[in-house]
Amino acid sequence: MNTALITVAMAVGAYLLGSISFAVVASKLFGIADPRTYGSKNPGATNVLRSGNKKAAIATLIGDAAKGWLAVWLAVHYQEQLGVEDIAIALTAIAVFLGHLWPIFFRFVGGKGVATAAGVLLGLNVWLGLATLATWLIVAYAFRYSSLAALAAAVFAPFYYGLLFGVDAILIAVVAMSMLLLFRHSANISNLIAGKESRIGSKAAAKKK
């Protein structure tokens, strides 16, 4: 099969996988309100945690990270067998991330992509993922702001990749992913500056259906 078609198929498959919103799925399974209706209205683990249901939040976190990891791991694992270039991996990485941000299954209303980005980075390289996760954890523990931790991780991720692997097509995808993360957190940046940002663990009214 033509490698260009394989690359396109990989990207499309990754986008569809990314379009599965585990925040919405987990909320339905645990009988809590749709996360798009309370708190920040963001279908992500942090907002699901505001419902007070830690199990649903953990399920969301694992699911969103796992889909990013799986899409990229498969691309990396089968790259040689499929005969595709690094651009295929780069497109797969950004496609699964875009699927989470703008999911076709949920009217293109998705999350901010932190967990999925972490999964993507772990799929690319374990040390890259762990370094970025460590950055998130350190900032989150020190300041108790999930958004600030995500912003710091987004800034450092391309730096870590460049340090480990240099400049290539995949680095461009990591940079694009980081820029999209910053864009998706624009409201959080304004709230942080104004001192209105919610801290990790703060609850919002989320009634059961």
Side-chain angles (χ1 to χ4, degrees):
M1 185 183 292
N2 187 288
T3 56
L5 291 177
I6 294 175
T7 298
V8 171
M10 289 169 65
V12 171
Y15 171 77
L16 294 175
L17 178 60
S19 290
I20 301 172
S21 178
F22 282 93
V24 177
V25 173
S27 293
K28 288 183 178 179
L29 290 176
F30 285 92
I32 60 177
D34 189 315
R36 295 169 294 181
T37 64
Y38 63 85
S40 65
K41 295 182 171 57
N42 174 59
T46 300
N47 198 41
V48 172
L49 183 60
R50 293 189 178 105
S51 71
N53 193 314
K54 293 182 179 180
K55 291 182 179 180
I58 292 172
T60 298
L61 180 65
I62 293 174
D64 283 345
K67 67 185 181 184
W69 172 83
L70 179 61
V72 175
W73 182 85
L74 288 172
V76 172
H77 188 72
Y78 290 103
Q79 179 184 16
E80 185 175 345
Q81 183 177 334
L82 295 172
V84 294
E85 303 293 334
D86 282 351
I87 187 65
I89 296 173
L91 289 175
T92 296
I94 197 65
V96 70
F97 184 68
L98 289 174
H100 180 79
L101 299 187
W102 293 286
I104 192 171
F105 304 133
F106 296 91
R107 300 180 180 180
F108 303 102
V109 179
K112 294 178 180 177
V114 178
T116 302
V120 167
L121 296 176
L122 284 168
L124 290 172
N125 180 269
V126 172
W127 294 113
L128 170 65
L130 290 177
T132 307
L133 282 172
T135 301
W136 189 96
L137 288 170
I138 290 170
V139 176
Y141 180 79
F143 298 99
R144 303 298 295 173
Y145 287 113
S146 176
S147 57
L148 182 61
L151 293 169
V155 170
F156 277 95
F159 170 75
Y160 294 145
Y161 185 92
L163 191 64
L164 288 169
F165 306 107
V167 178
D168 58 16
I170 299 174
L171 174 60
I172 296 174
V174 174
V175 170
M177 194 165 58
S178 294
M179 291 178 67
L180 284 168
L181 273 170
L182 295 175
F183 169 73
R184 294 288 281 190
H185 283 80
S186 56
N188 301 92
I189 294 172
S190 298
N191 287 337
L192 284 166
I193 294 173
K196 298 178 180 179
E197 183 72 352
S198 298
R199 292 181 181 271
I200 295 174
S202 61
K203 294 183 181 181
K207 297 179 181 179
K208 291 186 178 181
K209 290 184 177 179

